[in-house]
Amino acid sequence: MLSASGQAHAAYWDELSEEYQSQTNISLTDFHYGPLLPGEQELGLLPSSLTGKTCLELGCGAGQNSIVLAKAGAICTAIDVSQAMLDHGKRLADQESVSSDFRKADLDDLPNFGSSSFDLIHSAYGIPFSSNPEKVIQRCSKLLKPGGTLLFSMGHPVYAGEWLELDDEQGLFLSSYFQPTPDAREGSSSDALSRAFPLSEVAEWIIKAGLQLDRLLEPAALPDNRLHEAPYYSEAWAEQAEALRKFPIVVIYRATKPSTL
């Protein structure tokens, strides 16, 4: 059953699904982390071998990243609150001749997977839509097998600022790094809300959950002559490419569950 925020987000993404998927080019061959950013083929953050690995995607949308992993031999489960997004993902999986277990579920009330069920839990900008992302990370720690990996991207707190042009200079005005302005998105029937958090705060959540933080990246957008190589691309995002080369839009965290736990 979806929480109140989950129901609102489901209505928002159901309404937006068709437009979002038609206007955004999300790769089915390269794992993405955020708009206009280099993908996995360049960043190299995933486990070296995916064959037979059990993987869970949180806030999957149409599950393009899960499809990429399934094509590499992984056993994939992908969850999202939006049935319209999940239906799109099922069609894409059929198109690519791979299997992924798409499930409608709320980040704030994850399905009752058994402890130590997954080798990899991943999310590209899904966790920021949770009302309690720290709790999600704690739950992920319990779901990971010893030696498993948690890999996710979140909105960068710097990019929560307001873009300004002063004389001949451009930059971001940030009223508070420690309390970034939430990203409130309005739909015709429902709204969605995501939040950014200081990097040190998220790092503490990871450590408190018993995980070892081993990578933290703040990638910039690809140069103009390579923008179409980005595994997550749209014309609307391309208009912001210059800004995304000056300030990071996401921060990527990779953590490992110690084998001794």
Side-chain angles (χ1 to χ4, degrees):
M1 183 174 180
L2 299 182
S3 64
S5 63
Q7 292 176 23
H9 288 168
Y12 174 85
W13 287 111
D14 281 346
E15 176 187 336
L16 190 65
S17 175
E18 183 174 350
E19 177 184 354
Y20 176 82
Q21 294 296 335
S22 65
Q23 295 183 3
T24 310
N25 181 19
I26 305 178
S27 176
L28 296 172
T29 59
D30 191 7
F31 192 97
H32 71 273
Y33 294 96
L36 310 184
L37 305 181
E40 173 60 19
Q41 292 177 12
E42 187 166 329
L43 296 181
L45 297 172
L46 288 170
S48 56
S49 175
L50 291 163
T51 303
K53 299 294 186 182
T54 51
C55 303
L56 172 64
E57 182 173 9
L58 305 179
C60 68
Q64 284 91 342
N65 275 347
S66 286
I67 291 171
V68 171
L69 298 183
K71 291 166 77 172
I75 302 167
C76 298
T77 301
I79 69 169
D80 199 273
V81 293
S82 168
Q83 188 62 53
M85 288 285 196
L86 294 170
D87 290 343
H88 190 89
K90 292 174 184 177
R91 292 192 293 270
L92 288 177
D94 288 342
Q95 169 190 307
E96 297 297 311
S97 300
V98 296
S99 176
S100 182
D101 180 7
F102 289 95
R103 301 191 192 186
K104 184 173 181 178
D106 194 334
L107 286 177
D108 291 328
D109 188 19
L110 292 175
N112 189 27
F113 300 113
S115 297
S116 303
S117 294
F118 298 100
D119 296 293
L120 169 68
I121 299 177
H122 59 100
S123 179
Y125 213 94
I127 293 177
F129 286 95
S130 166
S131 63
N132 191 340
E134 180 179 9
K135 183 179 177 181
V136 174
I137 291 172
Q138 291 172 349
R139 178 73 172 135
C140 287
S141 179
K142 295 178 181 178
L143 293 176
L144 280 173
K145 297 178 182 179
T149 300
L150 174 63
L151 177 63
F152 64 97
S153 62
M154 298 185 74
H156 199 292
V158 168
Y159 211 79
E162 179 183 359
W163 189 255
L164 297 177
E165 185 169 348
L166 302 173
D167 298 328
D168 295 330
E169 293 188 276
Q170 294 180 328
L172 285 173
F173 169 75
L174 190 65
S175 59
S176 172
Y177 175 83
F178 297 104
Q179 293 182 320
T181 302
D183 178 9
R185 308 182 186 190
E186 296 184 358
S188 61
S189 61
S190 187
D191 301 334
L193 183 73
S194 71
R195 294 175 296 160
F197 301 87
L199 274 61
S200 60
E201 185 173 354
V202 179
E204 284 297 309
W205 296 344
I206 291 170
I207 294 167
K208 285 171 61 179
L211 303 173
Q212 295 178 344
L213 178 63
D214 52 35
R215 293 293 300 275
L216 188 155
L217 281 74
E218 304 166 280
L222 292 168
D224 282 338
N225 63 348
R226 294 186 57 207
L227 275 185
H228 282 87
E229 298 176 20
Y232 186 109
Y233 174 89
S234 73
E235 293 296 331
W237 278 115
E239 295 175 0
Q240 301 186 47
E242 182 180 358
L244 297 184
R245 283 191 284 268
K246 293 181 178 180
F247 300 95
I249 188 171
V250 304
V251 54
I252 304 170
Y253 300 89
R254 189 182 74 184
T256 303
K257 185 171 183 176
S259 298
T260 55
L261 291 183

